[in-house]
Every structure is written in C-alpha cells, then in structure tokens.
C-alpha cells in the first residue's frame, strides 16, 4: 500500500495547536484505504509499499465542501442582470423568480441529465482538492422531484468513478412550489407526512435541512420538519439567520442540529446556544458576496464562545454560483476576517463535524486516507492565491487520482 514521505503534514489533530503540523512526516495507508500509520518519517516502520517522496510539500486532509446545492437544472444568469439593475434577491423571489425558477428547470430535467450536470460541477470542486461533498435537494419541491434530486446526488459518486464521497441532505422545505398557492402550512404537511417518510424509507438522505427565513419557512414550520426528521433518525441542519434574525441559530441548537448555516444575523444568545449544543457554524461567504449583503456573521462571537466554524461554497444557481471551495475560504478571510487557520480547519475538521463524520477531515490512524497534496509548503498560499488550485495530487481512500510532473 502506498506510503507518502517527506511531507509537511497538516493533520488538523485537535490535540495539537493550529493545523497540527508534522514536519518531515510520513503517512502509510492500509488495504482499506485508511491511514495505518502517521508521524515523523524517521519513526516510520519498515514498509514495502509504493513510495511517494513529496519533497517537503504540504499535505492536508482532502477538503470537505459541507454545504452545496449541486444538483440543479437551468441557469439564473438573467437574475444576475436583474440584480445588477437594482432589484433585490427577495423581490425577484417574490415575483416568481429565484428558487422557484430553478425548480421549474429541475423538474423538467431527467435524472441522468441532473447527474451529468452535477458531475461537471463536482469535478470543478475536486480540482480544488475536495474529496467529500454534501449535496442538498430543494429544487424539486414535490415527492417525485425531491426524490429524483436525491437519487441524482446518490448516483453522483458512481458517475465520478467513485473518487469522491457524497453526503446527501433533504431540503424539501426550501421554498414554496407554485402549486401550493401560498399555503405554507399545507406544504409543510406534505414535507412531513409524505416526503420525509419516502426519503427515510429509501435512505435517500443523510440529514434534513430547512430554509428558515421570512421569504421561506417560520420557526414553527421548521420545528415540525425537525420533529418528522427525528422520527426517521435523521440528523438536522438549518439555513438560519441569513437575511434576518428569526432565532434560527437557537432553534437549530435546541434540536441538536449538526450545523446552522449562513448566520449573518445571529445574535449572542444564538451563538451561546450553538456552543452548548455543539452545533457547527457553517460560514457561506459566497452568498453574502453575490447578494451584496452588508451584515456579516458574528465571527467574533463564535470565537468567544468556542463555536466550531466551517466554510463551504453553498454552490447553487442563485445566490452562490461558485464552484471553488478555495474561493469560499478566501472570501471568508477577506470579507469576514477569518484567519487562514480557521479557513483551513473550516474545510477539514469542522466541515466533517458539520456532516457528523468522525472518519474524515483529520489525518490520524484509522481515518480515511483522503489527502490533498499541494504544490506549496505554505497553508496561507492555498487561501491567498486564486486561480487554478496548486494541487499536485488528490488521494481518495489511499489511491492517488492525479499526478502531474512537479
Ligand atoms: N439560501 C441560499 O443561499 C440558497 N438557498 C438558501 O436557502 C439559495 C438558493 C437559490 O437561490 O437557488
Ligand atoms: Fe444553501
């Protein structure tokens, strides 16, 4: 089994400060694609595997994009022009554009077409070193189309030759479909009584999410969805406090949510509740940037109260059409004043926590040997220099999928 030597390994081990760097390190994989040994190379036990000398380059865990809406049909570039001309995201949404326009295109697309489109997008993320991606539904908004979207997400890994881990989230409560004619409570009934049971039965989702917002669903409606998720043993997460403070962070914490995401309007009580519940704050600077928002998430409060922060692309056709996790990290630093360490922990250890996964995001014995090997010794360069990723090699479950000459 391959062994990687002479590496600057950023382990993300919480027992060590910062990124948990091991200089002159080595990693030995086992036959199951897990890490069999990791440490300073001089202590590496004799091994017979294929040796990769990394010449001092930086190795991080494979990156984890813990919040995307990667499966969709159509495009919303026309809305970009409308927003440039002065109309707001909420105005466009209330006028039947926004999420609902993507719903029409997604309903019209076949499952195969959705897989094809999503795999092109996932390839772009993989070029940035991503080895795990979370994918939400929420552009189907009826049982047939929500399950179609989740089946497309489940089919994505195979379409990418099983070189990526795909985690799925049911987001039926994303927007109100046109046929619901404004009756949000009745639609939430459908989500709870028809969609979640179907998805739970066929194991199509690993978690359940809700868009809690004035233009979407209320606290009470969110709680009903979370109760239904609980019945099927599905963990929850929440699009919370993105455009206003409806107490989403605290509600997510009350349900022991894996994560609360966006959080621009979260207050101190919300941050404290999240810290107590171990709910991860998923920071999504792409949507903030594209919507020209001005209210920033309370990074200082998350630091003060010890809330783990993740960073994700929120890749979607409306508010965050970006297919680069490194760009999201860069924006988190430039726009929200996160540090390089926070950004990198946010796409590794803390992103894994936001997905409820203990086997990824940290390089330790027994973890998946998912690695991003960078053509640079410097963690800051990953977050600072944009353009094509300086990725030398991506390793998924112990196997390198790409090696270009150094
Ligand atoms: N918040 C977002 O930023 C995305 N969904 C959500 O709940 C936007 C999705 C879209 O505009 O298509
Ligand atoms: Fe989102």
């Amino acid at each position: 089994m391959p062994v990687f030597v002479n590496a600057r390994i950023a382990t993300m081990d919480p027992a060590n400060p910062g990124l948990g760097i091991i200089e002159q390190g080595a990693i030995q994989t086992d036959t199951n694609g897990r890490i069999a040994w990791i440490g300073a190379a001089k202590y590496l036990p004799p091994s017979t595997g294929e040796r990769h000398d990394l010449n001092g380059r930086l190795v991080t865990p494979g990156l984890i994009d813990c919040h995307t809406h990667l499966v969709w049909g159509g495009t919303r570039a026309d809305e970009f022009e409308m927003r440039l001309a002065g109309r707001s995201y909420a105005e466009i949404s209330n006028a039947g554009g926004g999420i609902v326009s993507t719903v029409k295109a997604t309903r019209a697309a076949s499952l195969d077409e959705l897989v094809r489109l999503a795999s092109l997008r996932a390839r772009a993320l993989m070029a940035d070193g991503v080895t795990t991606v979370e994918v939400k539904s929420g552009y189907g908004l009826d049982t047939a189309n929500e399950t179609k979207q989740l089946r497309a997400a489940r089919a994505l890994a195979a379409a990418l030759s099983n070189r990526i881990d795909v985690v799925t989230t049911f987001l039926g409560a994303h927007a109100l479909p046109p046929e619901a004619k404004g009756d949000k409570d009745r639609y939430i009934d459908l989500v709870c009584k028809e969609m979640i049971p179907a998805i739970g039965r066929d194991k199509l989702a690993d978690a359940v999410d809700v868009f809690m917002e004035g233009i979407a669903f209320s606290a009470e409606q969110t709680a009903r969805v979370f109760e239904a998720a609980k019945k099927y043993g599905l963990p929850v997460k929440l699009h919370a406090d993105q455009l206003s403070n409806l107490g989403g962070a605290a509600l997510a914490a009350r349900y022991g949510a894996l994560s609360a995401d966006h959080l621009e309007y979260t207050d101190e009580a919300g941050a404290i509740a999240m810290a107590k519940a171990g709910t991860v704050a998923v920071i999504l600077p792409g949507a903030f940037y594209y919507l020209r928002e001005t209210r920033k998430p309370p990074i200082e409060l998350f630091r003060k109260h010890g809330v783990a922060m993740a960073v994700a692309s929120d890749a979607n056709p409306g508010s965050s059409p970006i297919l680069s996790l490194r760009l999201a990290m860069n924006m988190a630093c430039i726009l929200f004043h996160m540090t390089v360490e926070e950004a990198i922990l946010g796409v590794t250890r803390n992103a894994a926590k936001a997905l409820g996964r203990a086997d990824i995001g940290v390089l330790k014995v027994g973890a998946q040997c998912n690695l991003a090997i960078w053509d640079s010794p410097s963690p800051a360069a990953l977050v600072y220099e944009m353009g094509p990723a300086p990725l030398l090699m991506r390793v998924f479950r112990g196997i390198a999928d790409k090696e270009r000459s150094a």
Side-chain angles (χ1 to χ4, degrees), residues 67 69 76 79 89 98-99 102 139 171 174 210-211 239 242 262 284 287 291 314 316-320:
H67 180 142
H69 306 247
R76 304 245 292 281
E79 292 182 10
Y89 182 69
I99 293 173
T102 299
Y139 293 124
L171 178 58
H174 191 199
V210 172
F211 187 17
H239 280 69
Q242 180 186 4
H262 287 289
L284 303 170
L291 300 182
D314 195 15
N316 77 69
S319 66
S320 189

Side-chain angles (χ1 to χ4, degrees), residues 233-288:
L234 288 165
V236 298
K237 29 184 60 222
L238 187 64
H239 280 69
D241 308 338
Q242 180 186 4
L243 307 169
S244 61
N245 183 1
L246 299 182
L251 184 115
R254 204 172 326 127
Y255 278 88
L258 289 172
S259 71
D261 305 37
H262 287 289
L263 305 172
E264 278 79 349
Y265 284 80
T266 297
D267 57 20
E268 187 154 18
I272 292 170
M274 286 175 67
K276 284 206 180 114
T279 297
V280 176
V282 178
I283 305 299
L284 303 170
F288 171 92

